Amino acid sequence: MVSDKTDECCSTHLIDGDGVFNVTGVESFIKEVKFAECGLSYAIVSIMGPQSSGKSTLLNHLFGTNFREMDAYKGRSQTTKGIWMGRCVGIEPCTLVMDLEGTDGRERGEDDTTFEKQSALFALAVSDIVLINMWCHDIGREQAANKPLLKTVFQVMMRLFSPRKTTLLFVIRDKTRTPLENLEPVLREDIQKIWDSVPKPQAHEETPLSEFFNVEVVALSSYEEKEEQFTEQVASLRQRFFHSIAPGGLAGDRRGVVPASGFSFSAQHMWEVIKENRDLDLPAHKVMVATVRCDEISNEKYDSFMKNEEWCQLKEAVQSHPVGGFGKKLSSILNTCLSEYDAEATFFDEGVRSSKRKQLEEKLLQLIQPAYQSMLGRIRSDTLQRFKEAFDKELKGGIGFAMAARECTGTCMSQFDEECADAVIDQAKWDSSRVRDKLKRDIDAHIAEARTAKLAEVTTLFETKLNDALAGPVEGLLDGAGDDTWPAMRKLLQRETDTALTGFSTALSGFEMDEQTKDSMVLGLKDYARGVVEAKTKEEAGRVLIRMKDRFSMLFSYDSDSMPRIWTGKENIRAITKTARSASLKLMSVMAAIRLEDERDSIENTLTVALGDGKPTKKGTESLDPLASSTWNEVSASKTLITPIQCKSLWKQFNTETEYTVTQAIAAQEASKRNNNWLPPPWAVAALLILGFNEFMTLLRNPLYLGVIFVAFLLVKALWVQLDISGEFRNGALPGFLSLATKFIPTVTNLLRRLAEAGQRKTNAAPQHNLTPASKGNDIDDDKMM
């Protein structure tokens, strides 16, 4: 690449003499002159003509470029090789000019016109204005140097499927004295003849020249001979290039303009097609350029969006928590990105532009959809958590379950809808109904779970109350089992069940359940209450033997005042035993079956006849043992607690274990009788009176003996009391003698010491009593003496 720069001018070698397109140089040139920013506001001017006809000189004076000019002193030779491009200085809009290699040059030879045709076709396809540089003296001549050039231009025009409207500006050089008004008709006539002679496609056989070209003619004086006049005429011509693309300008009616940002790619592709000697389809080329450039712009905007700091922050933030204004923020970023695409692609083919915009929008939406879904997921999880907290709070506040569920669900779903609306992206038509349905299912599942737990809690509460209200009283009633035990138990069950069911029904009303479900739960609680009674009864029936022994012990060992019995010999042990055993048998009959229905049975009579005082079965009869069975008459097996055969076994075991208590009581009674009877038999008393009559009379005759006997009686009585002889012998003779042997000497010693102390106190009291009168007498004598 050869690039020349001045303060205001920049040029580059677009295509070299070998036909190689200078991609790098063109891109650098476009960046240098900021051509891509021009959009459609630009113009392309090219110049073609015979070699050494002053093309570069004209361009340099006309547009302020710095193309290399021929050195006249070195002779005529090829100066411009290939195609050069430069930026016109000081002309608006931005105008680029191409200096084409001259035609009919000796360097390429007479027969080598390939590059000449290729460059001409390229200039027609790219340029809005084509300057055709020609000598004044060639006008009207059949073999003029411009004839081959015009034929070339018109021939290559036929290769464009849909040619763009191009302005052909014929620049007549070295104008003679012949006025331009006379030269122009001749020139136009020659041009028309050439156009008519060029073979055309069938579609354009009758198409006039004006359909493809705007023909303009201008004449310039000789640069070498009349430089000053030449300069003035060039300056006048320069003014026609200002606003050349505006209506009425040189290129005011141009068609099929490629946006400036796609010019480099468009020119490169056109040259490739031309070099391959293919027909150049300009409409298809325009679409292809638009496709490539719109793809590039789309990719640039996509990459720019991915690196957007605000988008990156949103994408990261939404992973941890919902972002307020998510939809508006993301919509704004998307709108900015798409607007930038629209601004850069606005001049390309509308169909291609719209298609690529839609693809870009779809790619961007596909990129942000995971973040949107994460946002909805966060909203859903946060809403569900808020629902759980609000729902639990409402339930703790005492509000009904169904009402709390309904209100909290409505509130939270409304909040979810508001937050989803805030997350809506304007460019997307995404539906959040699936996430909403998922949230509704989660809420319903939580409500169902909480409902089950709450119902279980309420049921457990009332079951606990029933258990507390029934278990203890039932145990107490069975402990004092009697004829009124089961009626009392039925009454207790009815009362506590009614109380519990009333409260239970009130508690269930807050759940607003259907009557069938409610009745089922109420019936379940009622069955539970009955089950508590039955379970407690079965439990107590398993301990019936212990209770029978406890009842026997209570009635046998304690009197009616609940005081322990002392077997003194006056009690009727047989009657007491019978009463205690009858009560124990009564207890077993009460606990033999469950009687929660008011139905009569014969269990008590059967047990009384078989185990109590019923008449015994006579020998020789064939009646069976009423207890030789596993079921009771008129009592179902499910209500049987103790079978007849079990009752018989328990009664046998009961009698065996209580027999010892009765035996001990009888032994204690006999021992008490023995210990409490200290008087000799009556016959012994009579014998003593008869045989001891003489001794009795002797005592009556001698009172001293009687006093001695009295004193001895007192001593023996004192020893009897001190030694507690009757108490010592209560446990037996041998233990009594042993105990008395150890206590006798200490007791006698203690008794003598007490007698001695009593005598000493009396002796000390006598002298004191005698001293008191004498002292009084002495006091009287003293008074008298005074």
Side-chain angles (χ1 to χ4, degrees):
M1 179 194 71
V2 180
S3 178
D4 299 319
K5 299 180 183 179
T6 64
D7 292 341
E8 297 182 354
C9 176
C10 182
S11 62
T12 187
H13 206 172
L14 181 63
I15 300 173
D16 63 16
D18 297 327
V20 178
F21 194 91
N22 185 9
V23 179
T24 305
V26 172
E27 290 179 353
S28 299
F29 170 78
I30 288 176
K31 289 180 181 179
E32 180 72 22
V33 300
K34 299 179 180 180
F35 183 66
E37 300 176 3
C38 296
L40 295 180
S41 182
Y42 72 95
I44 303 295
V45 179
S46 60
I47 188 169
M48 61 178 67
Q51 180 177 305
S52 303
S53 61
K55 300 186 300 299
S56 299
T57 302
L58 175 60
L59 294 179
N60 290 340
H61 284 80
L62 184 60
F63 299 116
T65 55
N66 57 357
F67 294 127
R68 182 182 176 189
E69 300 177 8
M70 183 190 70
D71 189 351
Y73 295 100
K74 293 183 179 181
R76 293 182 177 272
S77 63
Q78 188 180 48
T79 305
T80 302
K81 295 181 179 181
I83 302 174
W84 282 76
M85 174 178 281
R87 178 177 180 271
C88 300
V89 178
I91 293 180
E92 293 294 336
C94 179
T95 301
L96 300 184
V97 61
M98 295 190 300
D99 187 8
L100 275 64
E101 179 181 318
T103 60
D104 196 23
R106 63 182 176 82
E107 285 79 6
R108 290 193 180 271
E110 183 179 354
D111 298 326
D112 188 6
T113 60
T114 301
F115 186 80
E116 177 181 322
K117 293 180 179 180
Q118 291 175 345
S119 60
L121 180 58
F122 180 75
L124 289 174
V126 172
S127 304
D128 301 307
I129 303 170
V130 177
L131 302 179
I132 298 179
N133 201 41
M134 61 183 303
W135 301 111
C136 181
H137 55 75
D138 283 338
I139 298 175
R141 295 171 56 187
E142 185 65 27
Q143 298 298 325
N146 64 315
K147 292 275 182 88
L149 176 60
L150 288 176
K151 287 183 181 181
T152 299
V153 170
F154 294 152
Q155 286 173 356
V156 298
M157 178 62 71
M158 296 299 103
R159 294 178 58 187
L160 300 179
F161 286 120
S162 179
R164 51 188 290 165
K165 192 72 173 287
T166 305
T167 298
L168 295 181
L169 180 58
F170 288 88
V171 181
I172 301 174
R173 303 293 298 273
D174 296 348
K175 175 180 173 296
T176 60
R177 294 180 180 179
T178 304
L180 180 60
E181 292 79 5
N182 296 334
L183 293 175
E184 185 174 352
V186 177
L187 177 60
R188 288 183 180 274
E189 184 179 353
D190 291 343
I191 294 173
Q192 186 63 46
K193 288 181 180 180
I194 297 173
W195 172 256
D196 293 339
S197 65
V198 172
K200 306 177 187 64
Q202 185 177 358
H204 297 294
E205 285 182 355
E206 304 299 330
T207 304
L209 176 66
S210 60
E211 183 69 21
F212 295 114
F213 299 104
N214 293 323
V215 179
E216 299 286 342
V217 181
V218 65
L220 299 178
S221 300
S222 173
Y223 172 68
E224 295 179 353
E225 297 176 0
K226 301 178 181 179
E227 181 177 356
E228 183 176 348
Q229 190 176 357
F230 173 84
T231 304
E232 292 177 358
Q233 292 171 347
V234 167
S236 177
L237 178 61
R238 175 182 172 86
Q239 296 301 316
R240 299 184 65 181
F241 287 91
F242 282 89
H243 307 293
S244 59
I245 62 175
L250 285 175
D253 56 351
R254 63 179 181 169
R255 299 189 298 262
V257 184
V258 175
S261 60
F263 175 78
S264 174
F265 176 80
S266 175
Q268 180 183 356
H269 183 264
M270 282 184 179
W271 182 248
E272 291 176 356
V273 172
I274 292 170
K275 280 195 69 177
E276 293 174 2
N277 200 26
R278 289 184 287 153
D279 292 336
L280 187 60
D281 187 351
L282 288 184
H285 174 77
K286 179 182 178 183
V287 171
M288 184 274 298
V289 173
T291 301
V292 174
R293 275 300 298 150
C294 288
D295 269 338
E296 292 177 354
I297 297 171
S298 174
N299 292 334
E300 290 175 3
K301 299 312 168 186
Y302 183 80
D303 294 340
S304 174
F305 182 90
M306 289 183 64
K307 297 176 183 178
N308 185 281
E309 185 176 354
E310 189 175 0
W311 153 244
C312 293
Q313 292 175 353
L314 280 175
K315 181 174 66 173
E316 183 177 355
V318 81
Q319 301 301 320
S320 58
H321 62 275
V323 179
F326 177 84
K328 292 182 178 178
K329 292 178 181 178
L330 203 48
S331 297
S332 175
I333 301 173
L334 281 172
N335 187 57
T336 300
C337 180
L338 294 174
S339 297
E340 291 176 354
Y341 169 86
D342 292 337
E344 294 189 27
T346 186
F347 302 116
F348 291 100
D349 182 80
E350 182 178 359
V352 175
R353 182 178 72 243
S354 300
S355 175
K356 296 301 178 181
R357 187 186 195 279
K358 185 177 180 181
Q359 292 178 10
L360 173 61
E361 187 174 351
E362 289 175 353
K363 286 176 62 179
L364 292 175
L365 292 178
Q366 187 177 5
L367 175 66
I368 66 176
Q369 189 173 23
Y372 175 75
Q373 293 298 332
S374 296
M375 180 67 180
L376 292 185
R378 289 294 175 185
I379 295 174
R380 183 191 64 80
S381 59
D382 283 10
T383 303
L384 181 60
Q385 185 61 33
R386 286 198 301 269
F387 169 80
K388 292 179 179 179
E389 294 173 356
F391 188 50
D392 291 344
K393 184 178 180 181
E394 290 293 330
L395 291 181
K396 291 178 181 178
I399 191 172
F401 184 92
M403 182 179 293
R406 191 163 47 248
E407 291 181 356
C408 292
T409 299
T411 301
C412 290
M413 293 306 294
S414 298
Q415 292 176 352
F416 175 81
D417 292 338
E418 292 176 1
E419 294 184 16
C420 283
D422 183 60
V424 168
I425 299 171
D426 296 339
Q427 293 81 359
K429 303 300 180 183
W430 293 328
D431 186 10
S432 61
S433 59
R434 293 181 62 184
V435 181
R436 192 181 194 278
D437 293 342
K438 177 69 166 61
L439 173 62
K440 188 63 170 62
R441 290 195 300 271
D442 291 342
I443 289 177
D444 291 343
H446 180 75
I447 292 174
E449 182 181 353
R451 185 176 186 271
T452 302
K454 197 68 177 177
L455 286 175
E457 180 182 341
V458 172
T459 303
T460 302
L461 173 64
F462 282 93
E463 286 178 351
T464 303
K465 289 182 178 180
L466 277 174
N467 190 70
D468 295 341
L470 292 174
V474 167
E475 183 177 354
L477 288 172
L478 292 176
D479 189 43
D483 293 334
D484 61 343
T485 297
W486 283 106
M489 203 176 297
R490 286 193 293 270
K491 185 177 180 181
L492 170 68
L493 175 62
Q494 185 65 37
R495 183 181 69 250
E496 296 300 334
T497 301
D498 290 345
T499 302
L501 291 181
T502 300
F504 189 61
S505 298
T506 303
L508 292 182
S509 63
F511 290 88
E512 298 182 6
M513 61 179 63
D514 58 275
E515 289 299 323
Q516 184 178 358
T517 305
K518 183 177 179 181
D519 292 343
S520 176
M521 295 190 68
V522 169
L523 181 60
L525 185 64
K526 189 175 182 179
D527 292 341
Y528 177 82
R530 184 185 179 93
V532 170
V533 175
E534 292 180 353
K536 194 63 182 177
T537 306
K538 291 179 181 179
E539 179 185 345
E540 295 301 319
R543 299 187 299 175
V544 65
L545 181 60
I546 298 175
R547 288 195 171 278
M548 290 169 65
K549 291 192 293 184
D550 290 344
R551 174 165 290 193
F552 177 85
S553 177
M554 177 63 67
L555 295 177
F556 185 80
S557 300
Y558 294 85
D559 57 18
S560 59
D561 296 328
S562 299
M563 296 298 292
R565 292 184 188 276
I566 299 176
W567 305 105
T568 61
K570 299 179 182 180
E571 296 83 4
N572 187 349
I573 293 180
R574 181 179 296 276
I576 295 173
T577 301
K578 182 179 180 181
T579 302
R581 285 182 175 174
S582 297
S584 299
L585 186 62
K586 179 73 174 179
L587 187 147
M588 186 168 64
S589 68
V590 169
M591 299 181 68
I594 297 172
R595 301 178 180 88
L596 291 178
E597 287 78 18
D598 190 9
E599 298 176 353
R600 300 294 179 180
D601 59 63
S602 59
I603 295 177
E604 183 176 358
N605 292 335
T606 302
L607 289 177
T608 302
V609 170
L611 304 176
D613 292 336
K615 295 179 180 180
T617 304
K618 295 181 179 180
K619 293 181 180 180
T621 62
E622 296 181 355
S623 61
L624 298 176
D625 184 355
L627 298 183
S629 175
S630 60
T631 58
W632 299 102
N633 293 332
E634 302 174 354
V635 178
S636 65
S638 61
K639 297 180 181 179
T640 300
L641 299 177
I642 308 173
T643 63
I645 194 67
Q646 289 175 336
C647 287
K648 185 175 182 179
S649 176
L650 288 170
W651 185 252
K652 183 178 179 180
Q653 185 177 355
F654 168 76
N655 285 334
T656 301
E657 294 182 7
T658 57
E659 189 66 30
Y660 177 75
T661 303
V662 176
T663 303
Q664 286 294 101
I666 294 173
Q669 190 179 53
E670 292 178 354
S672 178
K673 289 179 180 180
R674 289 194 302 270
N675 291 335
N676 291 332
N677 190 11
W678 293 92
L679 293 176
W683 61 268
V685 174
L688 286 175
L689 291 175
I690 296 171
L691 297 175
F693 180 77
N694 293 333
E695 286 77 8
F696 181 70
M697 293 304 294
T698 301
L699 291 175
L700 291 177
R701 292 188 188 99
N702 191 353
L704 181 60
Y705 289 147
L706 187 61
V708 172
I709 291 172
F710 180 72
V711 171
F713 173 74
L714 293 176
L715 291 173
V716 172
K717 181 67 175 176
L719 288 173
W720 183 276
V721 174
Q722 290 293 322
L723 292 174
D724 189 18
I725 294 175
S726 61
E728 294 294 341
F729 280 97
R730 186 174 300 166
N731 297 324
L734 182 59
F737 279 118
L738 293 176
S739 179
L740 291 176
T742 58
K743 292 168 62 177
F744 181 75
I745 294 177
T747 303
V748 172
T749 304
N750 184 39
L751 183 61
L752 294 175
R753 184 174 64 254
R754 291 172 64 185
L755 291 174
E757 290 175 355
Q760 184 67 31
R761 283 196 297 271
K762 290 182 179 180
T763 303
N764 292 335
Q768 184 176 2
H769 177 69
N770 294 331
L771 180 60
T772 301
S775 299
K776 290 182 178 180
N778 292 334
D779 291 338
I780 293 172
D781 291 341
D782 292 338
D783 291 336
K784 289 180 178 180
M785 292 177 65
M786 292 177 65

